[in-house]
mmCIF file of all heavy atoms in Angstrom:
data_model
loop_
_atom_site.group_PDB
_atom_site.id
_atom_site.type_symbol
_atom_site.label_atom_id
_atom_site.label_comp_id
_atom_site.label_asym_id
_atom_site.label_seq_id
_atom_site.Cartn_x
_atom_site.Cartn_y
_atom_site.Cartn_z
ATOM 1 N N THR W 26 -13.603 -10.207 12.399
ATOM 2 C CA THR W 26 -12.423 -10.975 11.946
ATOM 3 C C THR W 26 -11.224 -9.998 11.822
ATOM 4 O O THR W 26 -11.342 -8.985 11.121
ATOM 5 C CB THR W 26 -12.651 -11.660 10.608
ATOM 6 O OG1 THR W 26 -13.780 -12.539 10.721
ATOM 7 C CG2 THR W 26 -11.433 -12.488 10.213
ATOM 8 N N ILE W 27 -10.128 -10.355 12.486
ATOM 9 C CA ILE W 27 -8.919 -9.588 12.359
ATOM 10 C C ILE W 27 -8.003 -10.297 11.372
ATOM 11 O O ILE W 27 -7.958 -11.528 11.345
ATOM 12 C CB ILE W 27 -8.208 -9.384 13.726
ATOM 13 C CG1 ILE W 27 -7.035 -8.434 13.603
ATOM 14 C CG2 ILE W 27 -7.806 -10.738 14.322
ATOM 15 C CD1 ILE W 27 -6.429 -8.023 14.954
ATOM 16 N N SER W 28 -7.316 -9.499 10.539
ATOM 17 C CA SER W 28 -6.376 -10.060 9.608
ATOM 18 C C SER W 28 -5.294 -9.041 9.338
ATOM 19 O O SER W 28 -5.401 -7.875 9.733
ATOM 20 C CB SER W 28 -7.092 -10.437 8.272
ATOM 21 O OG SER W 28 -7.637 -9.278 7.659
ATOM 22 N N ARG W 29 -4.242 -9.490 8.699
ATOM 23 C CA ARG W 29 -3.149 -8.579 8.411
ATOM 24 C C ARG W 29 -2.531 -8.887 7.054
ATOM 25 O O ARG W 29 -2.566 -10.059 6.612
ATOM 26 C CB ARG W 29 -2.064 -8.594 9.496
ATOM 27 C CG ARG W 29 -1.367 -9.903 9.655
ATOM 28 C CD ARG W 29 -0.480 -9.904 10.906
ATOM 29 N NE ARG W 29 0.591 -8.915 10.823
ATOM 30 C CZ ARG W 29 1.237 -8.434 11.881
ATOM 31 N NH1 ARG W 29 0.933 -8.861 13.093
ATOM 32 N NH2 ARG W 29 2.209 -7.570 11.721
ATOM 33 N N ASP W 30 -1.978 -7.876 6.421
ATOM 34 C CA ASP W 30 -1.262 -8.019 5.175
ATOM 35 C C ASP W 30 0.113 -7.404 5.415
ATOM 36 O O ASP W 30 0.262 -6.169 5.344
ATOM 37 C CB ASP W 30 -2.004 -7.352 4.034
ATOM 38 C CG ASP W 30 -1.351 -7.573 2.685
ATOM 39 O OD1 ASP W 30 -0.162 -7.898 2.622
ATOM 40 O OD2 ASP W 30 -2.030 -7.435 1.682
ATOM 41 N N ASN W 31 1.101 -8.228 5.672
ATOM 42 C CA ASN W 31 2.429 -7.682 6.002
ATOM 43 C C ASN W 31 3.076 -7.013 4.796
ATOM 44 O O ASN W 31 3.910 -6.113 4.984
ATOM 45 C CB ASN W 31 3.312 -8.795 6.557
ATOM 46 C CG ASN W 31 2.934 -9.204 7.959
ATOM 47 O OD1 ASN W 31 2.164 -8.503 8.652
ATOM 48 N ND2 ASN W 31 3.396 -10.347 8.428
ATOM 49 N N ALA W 32 2.703 -7.374 3.627
ATOM 50 C CA ALA W 32 3.271 -6.731 2.445
ATOM 51 C C ALA W 32 2.764 -5.273 2.292
ATOM 52 O O ALA W 32 3.459 -4.445 1.711
ATOM 53 C CB ALA W 32 2.902 -7.526 1.189
ATOM 54 N N LYS W 33 1.575 -5.004 2.883
ATOM 55 C CA LYS W 33 1.008 -3.660 2.822
ATOM 56 C C LYS W 33 1.099 -2.933 4.149
ATOM 57 O O LYS W 33 0.538 -1.832 4.284
ATOM 58 C CB LYS W 33 -0.466 -3.775 2.386
ATOM 59 C CG LYS W 33 -0.686 -4.283 0.979
ATOM 60 C CD LYS W 33 -2.145 -4.306 0.599
ATOM 61 C CE LYS W 33 -2.326 -4.774 -0.832
ATOM 62 N NZ LYS W 33 -3.790 -4.786 -1.210
ATOM 63 N N ASN W 34 1.777 -3.550 5.149
ATOM 64 C CA ASN W 34 1.912 -2.926 6.467
ATOM 65 C C ASN W 34 0.523 -2.520 7.031
ATOM 66 O O ASN W 34 0.372 -1.426 7.577
ATOM 67 C CB ASN W 34 2.800 -1.669 6.409
ATOM 68 C CG ASN W 34 4.269 -2.004 6.163
ATOM 69 O OD1 ASN W 34 4.614 -3.188 6.035
ATOM 70 N ND2 ASN W 34 5.101 -0.999 6.088
ATOM 71 N N THR W 35 -0.423 -3.395 6.876
ATOM 72 C CA THR W 35 -1.804 -3.037 7.259
ATOM 73 C C THR W 35 -2.450 -4.176 8.018
ATOM 74 O O THR W 35 -2.280 -5.352 7.669
ATOM 75 C CB THR W 35 -2.643 -2.685 6.020
ATOM 76 O OG1 THR W 35 -2.005 -1.602 5.318
ATOM 77 C CG2 THR W 35 -4.051 -2.279 6.387
ATOM 78 N N VAL W 36 -3.212 -3.797 9.030
ATOM 79 C CA VAL W 36 -4.061 -4.751 9.752
ATOM 80 C C VAL W 36 -5.511 -4.325 9.580
ATOM 81 O O VAL W 36 -5.821 -3.122 9.497
ATOM 82 C CB VAL W 36 -3.677 -4.850 11.251
ATOM 83 C CG1 VAL W 36 -3.847 -3.523 11.953
ATOM 84 C CG2 VAL W 36 -4.433 -5.960 11.948
ATOM 85 N N TYR W 37 -6.397 -5.301 9.497
ATOM 86 C CA TYR W 37 -7.798 -5.043 9.223
ATOM 87 C C TYR W 37 -8.693 -5.608 10.326
ATOM 88 O O TYR W 37 -8.323 -6.536 11.021
ATOM 89 C CB TYR W 37 -8.223 -5.719 7.909
ATOM 90 C CG TYR W 37 -7.387 -5.306 6.717
ATOM 91 C CD1 TYR W 37 -6.351 -6.114 6.261
ATOM 92 C CD2 TYR W 37 -7.635 -4.127 6.044
ATOM 93 C CE1 TYR W 37 -5.568 -5.770 5.181
ATOM 94 C CE2 TYR W 37 -6.887 -3.765 4.909
ATOM 95 C CZ TYR W 37 -5.854 -4.584 4.509
ATOM 96 O OH TYR W 37 -5.094 -4.213 3.433
ATOM 97 N N LEU W 38 -9.862 -4.993 10.447
ATOM 98 C CA LEU W 38 -10.898 -5.559 11.321
ATOM 99 C C LEU W 38 -12.217 -5.569 10.533
ATOM 100 O O LEU W 38 -12.802 -4.486 10.274
ATOM 101 C CB LEU W 38 -11.080 -4.728 12.589
ATOM 102 C CG LEU W 38 -12.039 -5.319 13.601
ATOM 103 C CD1 LEU W 38 -11.503 -6.654 14.174
ATOM 104 C CD2 LEU W 38 -12.299 -4.335 14.740
ATOM 105 N N GLN W 39 -12.608 -6.714 10.095
ATOM 106 C CA GLN W 39 -13.898 -6.861 9.410
ATOM 107 C C GLN W 39 -14.982 -7.037 10.469
ATOM 108 O O GLN W 39 -14.912 -7.966 11.264
ATOM 109 C CB GLN W 39 -13.878 -8.072 8.467
ATOM 110 C CG GLN W 39 -15.173 -8.323 7.760
ATOM 111 C CD GLN W 39 -15.546 -7.236 6.776
ATOM 112 O OE1 GLN W 39 -14.708 -6.761 6.051
ATOM 113 N NE2 GLN W 39 -16.820 -6.832 6.811
ATOM 114 N N MET W 40 -15.966 -6.169 10.454
ATOM 115 C CA MET W 40 -17.020 -6.202 11.450
ATOM 116 C C MET W 40 -18.356 -6.449 10.743
ATOM 117 O O MET W 40 -18.786 -5.619 9.942
ATOM 118 C CB MET W 40 -17.055 -4.860 12.213
ATOM 119 C CG MET W 40 -15.702 -4.484 12.850
ATOM 120 S SD MET W 40 -15.827 -3.001 13.875
ATOM 121 C CE MET W 40 -16.178 -1.772 12.627
ATOM 122 N N ASN W 41 -18.946 -7.553 11.064
ATOM 123 C CA ASN W 41 -20.248 -7.920 10.486
ATOM 124 C C ASN W 41 -21.329 -7.930 11.573
ATOM 125 O O ASN W 41 -21.025 -8.000 12.769
ATOM 126 C CB ASN W 41 -20.154 -9.301 9.847
ATOM 127 C CG ASN W 41 -19.191 -9.339 8.683
ATOM 128 O OD1 ASN W 41 -18.955 -8.348 8.016
ATOM 129 N ND2 ASN W 41 -18.571 -10.506 8.475
ATOM 130 N N SER W 42 -22.569 -7.895 11.157
ATOM 131 C CA SER W 42 -23.711 -7.969 12.084
ATOM 132 C C SER W 42 -23.520 -6.976 13.240
ATOM 133 O O SER W 42 -23.671 -7.329 14.402
ATOM 134 C CB SER W 42 -23.879 -9.386 12.609
ATOM 135 O OG SER W 42 -24.061 -10.310 11.570
ATOM 136 N N LEU W 43 -23.235 -5.751 12.882
ATOM 137 C CA LEU W 43 -22.961 -4.730 13.902
ATOM 138 C C LEU W 43 -24.177 -4.472 14.762
ATOM 139 O O LEU W 43 -25.317 -4.495 14.307
ATOM 140 C CB LEU W 43 -22.450 -3.457 13.275
ATOM 141 C CG LEU W 43 -20.978 -3.527 12.810
ATOM 142 C CD1 LEU W 43 -20.671 -2.438 11.801
ATOM 143 C CD2 LEU W 43 -20.051 -3.345 14.014
ATOM 144 N N LYS W 44 -23.895 -4.177 16.042
ATOM 145 C CA LYS W 44 -24.954 -3.898 17.012
ATOM 146 C C LYS W 44 -24.716 -2.514 17.601
ATOM 147 O O LYS W 44 -23.587 -2.001 17.615
ATOM 148 C CB LYS W 44 -24.880 -4.933 18.150
ATOM 149 C CG LYS W 44 -24.995 -6.356 17.672
ATOM 150 C CD LYS W 44 -24.821 -7.320 18.850
ATOM 151 C CE LYS W 44 -24.912 -8.781 18.421
ATOM 152 N NZ LYS W 44 -24.714 -9.694 19.552
ATOM 153 N N PRO W 45 -25.751 -1.895 18.146
ATOM 154 C CA PRO W 45 -25.560 -0.577 18.770
ATOM 155 C C PRO W 45 -24.499 -0.599 19.855
ATOM 156 O O PRO W 45 -23.781 0.404 20.039
ATOM 157 C CB PRO W 45 -26.947 -0.276 19.339
ATOM 158 C CG PRO W 45 -27.898 -0.987 18.412
ATOM 159 C CD PRO W 45 -27.187 -2.258 18.053
ATOM 160 N N GLU W 46 -24.371 -1.698 20.577
ATOM 161 C CA GLU W 46 -23.351 -1.778 21.631
ATOM 162 C C GLU W 46 -21.921 -1.837 21.098
ATOM 163 O O GLU W 46 -20.970 -1.811 21.892
ATOM 164 C CB GLU W 46 -23.634 -2.973 22.555
ATOM 165 C CG GLU W 46 -23.854 -4.285 21.886
ATOM 166 C CD GLU W 46 -25.331 -4.592 21.644
ATOM 167 O OE1 GLU W 46 -26.091 -3.669 21.249
ATOM 168 O OE2 GLU W 46 -25.722 -5.770 21.853
ATOM 169 N N ASP W 47 -21.769 -1.971 19.806
ATOM 170 C CA ASP W 47 -20.425 -1.909 19.206
ATOM 171 C C ASP W 47 -19.969 -0.455 18.991
ATOM 172 O O ASP W 47 -18.807 -0.217 18.590
ATOM 173 C CB ASP W 47 -20.383 -2.614 17.843
ATOM 174 C CG ASP W 47 -20.635 -4.112 17.972
ATOM 175 O OD1 ASP W 47 -20.074 -4.725 18.925
ATOM 176 O OD2 ASP W 47 -21.393 -4.663 17.127
ATOM 177 N N THR W 48 -20.853 0.494 19.255
ATOM 178 C CA THR W 48 -20.497 1.909 19.088
ATOM 179 C C THR W 48 -19.359 2.288 20.027
ATOM 180 O O THR W 48 -19.451 2.063 21.253
ATOM 181 C CB THR W 48 -21.724 2.795 19.381
ATOM 182 O OG1 THR W 48 -22.720 2.536 18.398
ATOM 183 C CG2 THR W 48 -21.350 4.258 19.383
ATOM 184 N N ALA W 49 -18.289 2.861 19.445
ATOM 185 C CA ALA W 49 -17.111 3.188 20.222
ATOM 186 C C ALA W 49 -16.083 3.823 19.289
ATOM 187 O O ALA W 49 -16.246 3.808 18.057
ATOM 188 C CB ALA W 49 -16.491 1.948 20.857
ATOM 189 N N VAL W 50 -15.041 4.367 19.883
ATOM 190 C CA VAL W 50 -13.832 4.712 19.111
ATOM 191 C C VAL W 50 -12.953 3.471 19.048
ATOM 192 O O VAL W 50 -12.674 2.878 20.112
ATOM 193 C CB VAL W 50 -13.099 5.893 19.751
ATOM 194 C CG1 VAL W 50 -11.837 6.210 18.927
ATOM 195 C CG2 VAL W 50 -13.993 7.145 19.839
ATOM 196 N N TYR W 51 -12.536 3.110 17.871
ATOM 197 C CA TYR W 51 -11.708 1.912 17.689
ATOM 198 C C TYR W 51 -10.262 2.326 17.426
ATOM 199 O O TYR W 51 -10.012 3.223 16.598
ATOM 200 C CB TYR W 51 -12.258 1.110 16.517
ATOM 201 C CG TYR W 51 -13.491 0.308 16.858
ATOM 202 C CD1 TYR W 51 -14.722 0.962 17.081
ATOM 203 C CD2 TYR W 51 -13.450 -1.068 17.005
ATOM 204 C CE1 TYR W 51 -15.837 0.252 17.433
ATOM 205 C CE2 TYR W 51 -14.575 -1.798 17.366
ATOM 206 C CZ TYR W 51 -15.751 -1.131 17.589
ATOM 207 O OH TYR W 51 -16.886 -1.830 17.937
ATOM 208 N N TYR W 52 -9.375 1.685 18.167
ATOM 209 C CA TYR W 52 -7.959 1.965 18.086
ATOM 210 C C TYR W 52 -7.179 0.736 17.653
ATOM 211 O O TYR W 52 -7.496 -0.374 18.133
ATOM 212 C CB TYR W 52 -7.425 2.414 19.445
ATOM 213 C CG TYR W 52 -8.022 3.626 20.040
ATOM 214 C CD1 TYR W 52 -9.162 3.548 20.840
ATOM 215 C CD2 TYR W 52 -7.493 4.901 19.811
ATOM 216 C CE1 TYR W 52 -9.758 4.668 21.403
ATOM 217 C CE2 TYR W 52 -8.061 6.027 20.367
ATOM 218 C CZ TYR W 52 -9.191 5.898 21.156
ATOM 219 O OH TYR W 52 -9.762 7.017 21.701
ATOM 220 N N CYS W 53 -6.166 0.925 16.812
ATOM 221 C CA CYS W 53 -5.267 -0.180 16.614
ATOM 222 C C CYS W 53 -4.002 0.062 17.424
ATOM 223 O O CYS W 53 -3.690 1.198 17.765
ATOM 224 C CB CYS W 53 -4.951 -0.387 15.129
ATOM 225 S SG CYS W 53 -3.904 0.807 14.355
ATOM 226 N N ALA W 54 -3.291 -0.980 17.712
ATOM 227 C CA ALA W 54 -2.120 -0.921 18.551
ATOM 228 C C ALA W 54 -1.102 -1.945 18.093
ATOM 229 O O ALA W 54 -1.471 -2.961 17.498
ATOM 230 C CB ALA W 54 -2.503 -1.152 20.008
ATOM 231 N N ALA W 55 0.178 -1.664 18.410
ATOM 232 C CA ALA W 55 1.258 -2.547 17.959
ATOM 233 C C ALA W 55 2.224 -2.798 19.135
ATOM 234 O O ALA W 55 2.410 -1.942 19.978
ATOM 235 C CB ALA W 55 2.003 -1.897 16.804
ATOM 236 N N VAL W 56 2.796 -3.975 19.097
ATOM 237 C CA VAL W 56 3.797 -4.350 20.108
ATOM 238 C C VAL W 56 4.863 -5.184 19.414
ATOM 239 O O VAL W 56 4.538 -6.128 18.692
ATOM 240 C CB VAL W 56 3.190 -5.107 21.294
ATOM 241 C CG1 VAL W 56 2.382 -6.306 20.870
ATOM 242 C CG2 VAL W 56 4.268 -5.503 22.286
ATOM 243 N N PRO W 57 6.180 -4.872 19.654
ATOM 244 C CA PRO W 57 7.217 -5.728 19.104
ATOM 245 C C PRO W 57 7.049 -7.120 19.687
ATOM 246 O O PRO W 57 6.762 -7.279 20.871
ATOM 247 C CB PRO W 57 8.500 -5.066 19.598
ATOM 248 C CG PRO W 57 8.169 -3.662 19.945
ATOM 249 C CD PRO W 57 6.703 -3.726 20.395
ATOM 250 N N SER W 58 7.238 -8.120 18.872
ATOM 251 C CA SER W 58 6.923 -9.491 19.294
ATOM 252 C C SER W 58 8.055 -10.437 19.009
ATOM 253 O O SER W 58 8.185 -10.943 17.894
ATOM 254 C CB SER W 58 5.651 -9.960 18.584
ATOM 255 O OG SER W 58 5.302 -11.254 18.992
ATOM 256 N N PRO W 59 8.894 -10.673 20.039
ATOM 257 C CA PRO W 59 9.959 -11.646 19.845
ATOM 258 C C PRO W 59 9.469 -13.044 19.519
ATOM 259 O O PRO W 59 10.096 -13.811 18.791
ATOM 260 C CB PRO W 59 10.692 -11.646 21.179
ATOM 261 C CG PRO W 59 10.282 -10.342 21.852
ATOM 262 C CD PRO W 59 8.909 -10.080 21.351
ATOM 263 N N SER W 60 8.290 -13.343 20.057
ATOM 264 C CA SER W 60 7.654 -14.632 19.762
ATOM 265 C C SER W 60 6.620 -14.483 18.670
ATOM 266 O O SER W 60 5.707 -13.676 18.797
ATOM 267 C CB SER W 60 6.969 -15.193 21.027
ATOM 268 O OG SER W 60 6.188 -16.295 20.710
ATOM 269 N N GLY W 61 6.761 -15.184 17.629
ATOM 270 C CA GLY W 61 5.894 -14.991 16.506
ATOM 271 C C GLY W 61 4.475 -15.461 16.685
ATOM 272 O O GLY W 61 3.600 -15.117 15.908
ATOM 273 N N SER W 62 4.203 -16.222 17.729
ATOM 274 C CA SER W 62 2.923 -16.909 17.835
ATOM 275 C C SER W 62 1.930 -16.249 18.839
ATOM 276 O O SER W 62 0.843 -16.728 19.032
ATOM 277 C CB SER W 62 3.147 -18.345 18.266
ATOM 278 O OG SER W 62 3.745 -18.379 19.527
ATOM 279 N N VAL W 63 2.324 -15.125 19.459
ATOM 280 C CA VAL W 63 1.475 -14.559 20.502
ATOM 281 C C VAL W 63 0.570 -13.489 19.946
ATOM 282 O O VAL W 63 1.008 -12.587 19.237
ATOM 283 C CB VAL W 63 2.343 -13.968 21.630
ATOM 284 C CG1 VAL W 63 1.458 -13.362 22.711
ATOM 285 C CG2 VAL W 63 3.251 -15.053 22.230
ATOM 286 N N ALA W 64 -0.697 -13.587 20.277
ATOM 287 C CA ALA W 64 -1.677 -12.522 19.995
ATOM 288 C C ALA W 64 -2.054 -11.904 21.346
ATOM 289 O O ALA W 64 -2.832 -12.442 22.094
ATOM 290 C CB ALA W 64 -2.908 -13.122 19.320
ATOM 291 N N TYR W 65 -1.446 -10.745 21.597
ATOM 292 C CA TYR W 65 -1.538 -10.113 22.914
ATOM 293 C C TYR W 65 -2.948 -9.528 23.160
ATOM 294 O O TYR W 65 -3.478 -8.879 22.286
ATOM 295 C CB TYR W 65 -0.491 -9.026 23.067
ATOM 296 C CG TYR W 65 0.929 -9.536 22.959
ATOM 297 C CD1 TYR W 65 1.580 -9.605 21.714
ATOM 298 C CD2 TYR W 65 1.629 -9.946 24.087
ATOM 299 C CE1 TYR W 65 2.849 -10.069 21.606
ATOM 300 C CE2 TYR W 65 2.915 -10.400 23.983
ATOM 301 C CZ TYR W 65 3.530 -10.470 22.758
ATOM 302 O OH TYR W 65 4.810 -10.922 22.654
ATOM 303 N N ILE W 66 -3.451 -9.712 24.355
ATOM 304 C CA ILE W 66 -4.796 -9.208 24.649
ATOM 305 C C ILE W 66 -4.852 -8.126 25.682
ATOM 306 O O ILE W 66 -5.899 -7.464 25.874
ATOM 307 C CB ILE W 66 -5.740 -10.374 25.050
ATOM 308 C CG1 ILE W 66 -5.258 -11.033 26.357
ATOM 309 C CG2 ILE W 66 -5.861 -11.366 23.901
ATOM 310 C CD1 ILE W 66 -6.227 -12.050 26.884
ATOM 311 N N ARG W 67 -3.756 -7.890 26.396
ATOM 312 C CA ARG W 67 -3.776 -6.871 27.478
ATOM 313 C C ARG W 67 -3.346 -5.521 26.927
ATOM 314 O O ARG W 67 -2.302 -5.394 26.263
ATOM 315 C CB ARG W 67 -2.889 -7.297 28.628
ATOM 316 C CG ARG W 67 -3.483 -8.357 29.511
ATOM 317 C CD ARG W 67 -2.676 -8.627 30.750
ATOM 318 N NE ARG W 67 -1.440 -9.363 30.385
ATOM 319 C CZ ARG W 67 -1.350 -10.695 30.378
ATOM 320 N NH1 ARG W 67 -2.427 -11.419 30.660
ATOM 321 N NH2 ARG W 67 -0.227 -11.291 30.086
ATOM 322 N N ARG W 68 -4.111 -4.526 27.250
ATOM 323 C CA ARG W 68 -3.836 -3.171 26.753
ATOM 324 C C ARG W 68 -2.446 -2.715 27.148
ATOM 325 O O ARG W 68 -1.738 -2.054 26.354
ATOM 326 C CB ARG W 68 -4.867 -2.214 27.367
ATOM 327 C CG ARG W 68 -4.760 -0.754 26.947
ATOM 328 C CD ARG W 68 -5.766 0.069 27.662
ATOM 329 N NE ARG W 68 -5.576 0.030 29.109
ATOM 330 C CZ ARG W 68 -6.416 0.553 30.003
ATOM 331 N NH1 ARG W 68 -7.517 1.137 29.579
ATOM 332 N NH2 ARG W 68 -6.156 0.470 31.271
ATOM 333 N N THR W 69 -2.006 -3.064 28.362
ATOM 334 C CA THR W 69 -0.727 -2.599 28.851
ATOM 335 C C THR W 69 0.469 -3.222 28.117
ATOM 336 O O THR W 69 1.590 -2.768 28.259
ATOM 337 C CB THR W 69 -0.605 -2.887 30.344
ATOM 338 O OG1 THR W 69 -0.843 -4.280 30.583
ATOM 339 C CG2 THR W 69 -1.571 -2.073 31.179
ATOM 340 N N GLU W 70 0.225 -4.244 27.340
ATOM 341 C CA GLU W 70 1.321 -4.874 26.601
ATOM 342 C C GLU W 70 1.668 -4.115 25.323
ATOM 343 O O GLU W 70 2.733 -4.329 24.758
ATOM 344 C CB GLU W 70 0.929 -6.326 26.270
ATOM 345 C CG GLU W 70 0.812 -7.221 27.497
ATOM 346 C CD GLU W 70 0.312 -8.606 27.169
ATOM 347 O OE1 GLU W 70 -0.720 -8.725 26.489
ATOM 348 O OE2 GLU W 70 0.966 -9.592 27.575
ATOM 349 N N TYR W 71 0.777 -3.253 24.892
ATOM 350 C CA TYR W 71 0.973 -2.581 23.596
ATOM 351 C C TYR W 71 1.776 -1.287 23.775
ATOM 352 O O TYR W 71 1.551 -0.532 24.721
ATOM 353 C CB TYR W 71 -0.369 -2.313 22.931
ATOM 354 C CG TYR W 71 -0.941 -3.572 22.339
ATOM 355 C CD1 TYR W 71 -1.670 -4.463 23.106
ATOM 356 C CD2 TYR W 71 -0.705 -3.881 21.004
ATOM 357 C CE1 TYR W 71 -2.161 -5.649 22.579
ATOM 358 C CE2 TYR W 71 -1.187 -5.065 20.463
ATOM 359 C CZ TYR W 71 -1.926 -5.921 21.244
ATOM 360 O OH TYR W 71 -2.397 -7.106 20.716
ATOM 361 N N HIS W 72 2.678 -1.047 22.814
ATOM 362 C CA HIS W 72 3.589 0.091 22.914
ATOM 363 C C HIS W 72 3.119 1.302 22.100
ATOM 364 O O HIS W 72 3.370 2.430 22.456
ATOM 365 C CB HIS W 72 4.973 -0.290 22.393
ATOM 366 C CG HIS W 72 5.655 -1.308 23.260
ATOM 367 N ND1 HIS W 72 7.029 -1.537 23.183
ATOM 368 C CD2 HIS W 72 5.211 -2.159 24.204
ATOM 369 C CE1 HIS W 72 7.348 -2.487 24.040
ATOM 370 N NE2 HIS W 72 6.276 -2.885 24.672
ATOM 371 N N TYR W 73 2.459 1.025 20.982
ATOM 372 C CA TYR W 73 2.139 2.089 20.026
ATOM 373 C C TYR W 73 0.647 2.061 19.714
ATOM 374 O O TYR W 73 0.047 0.977 19.596
ATOM 375 C CB TYR W 73 2.926 1.926 18.745
ATOM 376 C CG TYR W 73 4.399 1.838 18.961
ATOM 377 C CD1 TYR W 73 5.078 0.617 18.886
ATOM 378 C CD2 TYR W 73 5.165 2.992 19.266
ATOM 379 C CE1 TYR W 73 6.442 0.520 19.098
ATOM 380 C CE2 TYR W 73 6.510 2.903 19.491
ATOM 381 C CZ TYR W 73 7.145 1.683 19.416
ATOM 382 O OH TYR W 73 8.499 1.618 19.602
#
């Protein structure tokens, strides 16, 4: 589950029922969003 707290400038990823195939380096990324409703899924869309 992904969530965010804009008052704390923080985004979270709650991971339950973890599996060995979830092993990886996890990165967060940000993109300026003129449209408030888009949850971007393409890596190339992210700036930071």
Side-chain angles (χ1 to χ4, degrees):
T26 302
I27 188 171
S28 62
R29 65 188 296 161
D30 186 339
N31 287 345
K33 295 183 178 180
N34 290 0
T35 302
V36 62
Y37 304 98
L38 184 67
Q39 178 66 44
M40 305 185 294
N41 297 331
S42 302
L43 282 161
K44 304 175 181 180
E46 50 264 44
D47 295 318
T48 295
V50 178
Y51 283 71
Y52 300 89
C53 72
V56 54
S58 180
S60 169
S62 62
V63 179
Y65 299 89
I66 62 171
R67 284 187 286 271
R68 182 184 61 188
T69 54
E70 293 175 308
Y71 284 84
H72 294 197
Y73 305 103

